[in-house]
Amino acid sequence: MVYPIVDSVYLSLHSWGGVGAMKWVAFSNYTTFLSSSDFAQSTEHSLVICALATAFSIGIGVILAGAIHFHMPAHGFVRTACFLPVMIPFAATATFWTTAFNPFGGIVNAVLGSLGLGGHHLFLGSPNTAIYTLIFVAVWTQAGFAMIFILAAMDAIPSEVYESAMIDGASLMRRFFSFTLPLSRRMVAVVGMLELIYSFRLFTEVWTMTEGGPGTATEIFPTVIYKDAFLYDQFGYGAAIAVVSAVLVLALLVLYVRIFRPFKVMT
């Protein structure tokens, strides 16, 4: 782990096309990127995806976990069905949803058309909707991950807690909000941190579905790194973007830990 990190920082201080000697440029790669439109767009898009994908994944995960924990009808099937997207390779998931959102023959537009809502929406082709379509796919993939861990935390709650609450006449909703959710809050916070990391480094789905487009509407740090380093052979510049991305992730994690305290020991 240490060597790639140190080597990336070292590479980011050079100009290198992948062949031949490296040229020392100091912090030129950083200043170029930080003053470019790529930095502003990548930061904005990454933060939007992080915030919405994490929030919706955790919210849906909590609802599903609570419903399964209290033995909703067919809860075993629901648990398996909701966790299934987690096990599907990201490339396969992205390919499926790219086809599903196709404006000509895609299943999503077909369903909307049958409901009288129009059947030729450019979900991935419009700058106004592309990023939210990607967020939907990210949530579809991540919600099952959140669900399974939060469910494990809920199932670990002693049954005596619920027995006492039921004796006092607490309804199911009261038991959920007063006991189940508070006693699972530490796991919810930890899973939220993992979801945030995953959302920030989203690449396979974005590259497969939009390649950062249309235009630059879904450009994020991983796509910019891939283009500059591997398509344009600017490995030093790409390494500098990667370092900036890592610093932003660490800053987000520090802020998240200070706010939600996922590792605080419960008393």
Side-chain angles (χ1 to χ4, degrees), residues 63-84:
I63 293 172
L64 291 173
I68 296 169
H69 176 67
F70 287 105
H71 300 290
M72 65 176 290
H75 62 275
F77 170 77
V78 172
R79 177 175 56 191
T80 302
C82 292
F83 189 69
L84 188 61

Side-chain angles (χ1 to χ4, degrees), residues 22-43:
M22 296 183 182
K23 179 183 177 181
W24 174 264
V25 295
F27 295 99
S28 177
N29 288 326
Y30 290 96
T31 56
T32 300
F33 175 64
L34 292 176
S35 61
S36 69
S37 60
D38 284 342
F39 172 68
Q41 290 176 344
S42 300
T43 302

Side-chain angles (χ1 to χ4, degrees), residues 35-122:
S35 61
S36 69
S37 60
D38 284 342
F39 172 68
Q41 290 176 344
S42 300
T43 302
E44 178 185 353
H45 298 159
S46 296
L47 291 178
V48 169
I49 292 174
C50 269
L52 295 181
T54 301
F56 279 102
S57 295
I58 293 298
I60 294 173
V62 167
I63 293 172
L64 291 173
I68 296 169
H69 176 67
F70 287 105
H71 300 290
M72 65 176 290
H75 62 275
F77 170 77
V78 172
R79 177 175 56 191
T80 302
C82 292
F83 189 69
L84 188 61
V86 180
M87 299 184 288
I88 300 175
F90 295 147
T93 296
T95 302
F96 166 76
W97 283 112
T98 301
T99 304
F101 283 113
N102 190 302
F104 304 102
I107 187 172
V108 175
N109 274 296
V111 171
L112 292 176
S114 66
L115 296 175
L117 300 176
H120 298 289
H121 299 283
L122 299 174

Side-chain angles (χ1 to χ4, degrees), residues 5-267:
I5 294 173
V6 174
D7 191 60
S8 294
V9 175
Y10 176 77
L11 178 60
S12 70
L13 302 174
H14 294 77
S15 175
W16 187 52
V19 179
M22 296 183 182
K23 179 183 177 181
W24 174 264
V25 295
F27 295 99
S28 177
N29 288 326
Y30 290 96
T31 56
T32 300
F33 175 64
L34 292 176
S35 61
S36 69
S37 60
D38 284 342
F39 172 68
Q41 290 176 344
S42 300
T43 302
E44 178 185 353
H45 298 159
S46 296
L47 291 178
V48 169
I49 292 174
C50 269
L52 295 181
T54 301
F56 279 102
S57 295
I58 293 298
I60 294 173
V62 167
I63 293 172
L64 291 173
I68 296 169
H69 176 67
F70 287 105
H71 300 290
M72 65 176 290
H75 62 275
F77 170 77
V78 172
R79 177 175 56 191
T80 302
C82 292
F83 189 69
L84 188 61
V86 180
M87 299 184 288
I88 300 175
F90 295 147
T93 296
T95 302
F96 166 76
W97 283 112
T98 301
T99 304
F101 283 113
N102 190 302
F104 304 102
I107 187 172
V108 175
N109 274 296
V111 171
L112 292 176
S114 66
L115 296 175
L117 300 176
H120 298 289
H121 299 283
L122 299 174
F123 290 103
L124 296 172
S126 170
N128 297 322
T129 58
I131 192 169
Y132 299 106
T133 305
L134 292 174
I135 291 170
F136 167 82
V137 175
V139 172
W140 185 82
T141 304
Q142 296 172 225
F145 175 86
M147 174 204 71
I148 208 71
F149 281 94
I150 297 171
L151 177 61
M154 291 180 177
D155 287 344
I157 298 173
S159 59
E160 291 82 2
V161 173
Y162 294 119
E163 292 172 359
S164 299
M166 292 175 68
I167 291 174
D168 291 337
S171 64
L172 187 147
M173 295 299 292
R174 180 64 183 273
R175 297 199 300 272
F176 177 76
F177 285 105
S178 297
F179 299 100
T180 307
L181 195 55
L183 292 175
S184 306
R185 68 184 185 275
R186 185 178 178 186
M187 179 59 74
V188 172
V190 171
V191 173
M193 183 179 67
L194 298 176
E195 296 280 13
L196 184 148
I197 296 172
Y198 170 80
S199 299
F200 199 90
R201 63 181 181 84
L202 202 68
F203 174 74
T204 305
E205 293 91 332
V206 177
W207 187 256
T208 303
M209 297 179 72
T210 66
E211 296 186 3
T216 57
T218 58
E219 203 78 272
I220 56 175
F221 283 99
T223 60
V224 176
I225 294 169
Y226 180 78
K227 288 179 179 179
D228 285 306
F230 298 102
L231 297 185
Y232 307 144
D233 295 330
Q234 299 178 9
F235 289 96
Y237 187 65
I241 300 173
V243 173
V244 172
S245 174
V247 171
L248 286 176
V249 171
L250 289 175
L252 282 175
L253 289 178
V254 170
L255 180 63
Y256 183 91
V257 170
R258 289 181 64 87
I259 294 175
F260 296 101
R261 299 183 180 183
F263 305 114
K264 181 181 179 181
V265 178
M266 294 175 61
T267 57

